[in-house]
Amino acid sequence: MSFNMTVWEVEGNNLKVINKTKLDNESRLEDWVARDSSILGLDFLIIGRQVTTYFGGRIDLLAIDSQGDIVILELKRDKTSRDIVAQVLDYASWIDSLTPKDIDEIATAYLKENLTTAFNSHFGAALPEVINSNHSMVIIASELDESSERIVQYLANRHNLNINAIYFNFFKNDRMELLGRSWL
């Protein structure tokens, strides 16, 4: 099920297609999500960026949700290969081993304040006593290859794994840039 989005500019009674194009730089998308995670349609507190795992991997963005669960956000500006699924599962295996102290250290380094304070400020509630009891994985890309899409759906539906994909499409004309979002 390939995802396709079209955007039109309304000019009076006429519609003019705005061309879909490649995002020039993945870091732009990462910047936007880091600044305002609500563009994902979810409420997360970003607690880390380019977080290095003990095995040398680099998680694009690490977040925490209102339940205290960790969220891995892996971004690709273009169509993904099926390697992306293995990559986020590998990151999840590392996240699963993190202690509350580890998570606080990651958050404090990124946010410049401790996790308890940042969590309360963002969510208006106390940090849950138990954090990282669960985690989720979100692949963010303009398009998933068919294999990745099948694997994500299989893991989510058959094994109840908290994994999903968000599609971002970038559109540009001579006057503006637009970003569209949809979920798998």
Side-chain angles (χ1 to χ4, degrees):
M1 178 183 102
S2 182
F3 174 76
N4 189 13
M5 180 185 295
T6 304
V7 173
W8 295 266
E9 181 177 359
V10 179
E11 294 178 340
N13 289 330
N14 298 314
L15 296 175
K16 182 179 177 184
V17 172
I18 298 178
N19 293 322
K20 180 178 166 183
T21 187
K22 286 186 176 185
L23 184 61
D24 55 350
N25 190 328
E26 184 178 303
S27 67
R28 288 183 74 195
L29 181 57
E30 189 175 311
D31 289 342
W32 296 330
V33 175
R35 246 189 325 273
D36 182 6
S37 66
S38 71
I39 69 169
L40 302 175
L42 301 167
D43 189 16
F44 296 138
L45 170 63
I46 303 295
I47 61 169
R49 186 170 181 177
Q50 294 299 314
V51 177
T52 303
T53 65
Y54 72 82
F55 53 82
R58 294 179 73 86
I59 300 172
D60 290 333
L61 293 168
L62 197 59
I64 191 167
D65 67 15
S66 62
Q67 305 301 307
D69 293 330
I70 301 301
V71 182
I72 299 161
L73 303 168
E74 189 58 30
L75 291 79
K76 300 294 180 209
R77 74 179 178 138
D78 296 322
K79 184 176 185 175
T80 65
S81 68
R82 68 190 225 164
D83 296 344
I84 187 71
V85 180
Q87 184 179 359
V88 296
L89 290 171
D90 197 15
Y91 293 160
S93 72
W94 179 72
I95 293 298
D96 195 48
S97 71
L98 295 180
T99 67
K101 183 179 183 284
D102 296 331
I103 294 166
D104 185 59
E105 288 173 358
I106 292 166
T108 299
Y110 178 72
L111 298 168
K112 308 299 184 227
E113 64 181 339
N114 68 45
L115 181 57
T116 301
T117 303
F119 189 94
N120 185 279
S121 177
H122 182 85
F123 292 110
L127 182 67
E129 284 187 35
V130 176
I131 62 171
N132 199 26
S133 63
N134 198 2
H135 52 269
S136 60
M137 297 153 280
V138 181
I139 299 167
I140 302 168
S142 64
E143 186 179 353
L144 288 184
D145 70 301
E146 290 178 13
S147 177
S148 296
E149 196 171 303
R150 279 193 314 273
I151 295 167
V152 166
Q153 289 180 332
Y154 170 77
L155 291 171
N157 297 335
R158 181 71 175 197
H159 294 285
N160 206 28
L161 195 61
N162 199 344
I163 185 170
N164 210 326
I166 299 175
Y167 299 107
F168 274 102
N169 287 174
F170 186 69
F171 301 86
K172 186 175 183 176
N173 65 16
D174 56 341
R175 292 188 304 267
M176 67 182 120
E177 296 177 319
L178 299 165
L179 191 66
R181 177 202 74 216
S182 185
W183 281 84
L184 176 62

